Amino acid sequence: MDIRNRKAYYEYNIETKYVAGIVLSGTEVKSLRAGKASFNDSYCIFNKGELYVKSLHISEYNFGTHYNHEPMQERKLLLQKKELRKLENKIKEKGYTIVPLKIFFSQSGFAKIEIGLGKGKKIYDKRETIKSREADRDIKRKYGI
């Protein structure tokens, strides 16, 4: 079960993807397993050399006690230092941003987040994306692929 950010591919040209670990509390993991997360306007930022994801909404766990988590808190991402340095240098260039693409659970049961380094699309790029998607859909419909 994975939760995808479909809007990210529409808003950004994703150049490279990374899989990062994410630091979560117990109730956050239970909410994610239930599929209760939303990527609305979420993005990643650097703070003192560490990468954090902001505006990622993980709903409170229904059966949680007073130890329940904050839904919109910053969550630390775990990457190797080499990858962090590479991303930080790319972010300094104009137009680049780091966007969360999907959250999933690895084979060993750990929560992972796929992030992408992307450049924002212009309005005409978005129109091209829509045109190509519709053309593919028409071809599939016509030839029954």
Side-chain angles (χ1 to χ4, degrees), residues 84-99:
L84 284 172
R85 268 188 254 116
K86 192 183 297 184
L87 280 172
E88 198 166 13
N89 289 335
K90 273 289 197 183
I91 288 297
K92 290 176 183 170
E93 293 179 28
K94 190 177 179 205
Y96 281 103
T97 187
I98 303 172
V99 184

Side-chain angles (χ1 to χ4, degrees), residues 5-47:
N5 185 0
R6 288 186 234 121
K7 193 175 180 183
Y9 290 100
Y10 179 72
E11 297 284 336
Y12 300 96
N13 284 325
I14 305 298
E15 293 183 4
T16 54
K17 296 178 185 178
Y18 297 92
V19 175
I22 185 167
V23 178
L24 299 171
S25 67
T27 55
E28 288 174 318
V29 174
K30 290 182 177 192
S31 288
L32 280 179
R33 287 198 187 276
K36 307 274 185 182
S38 172
F39 284 104
N40 288 350
D41 301 327
S42 59
Y43 60 97
C44 299
I45 59 165
F46 277 96
N47 186 6

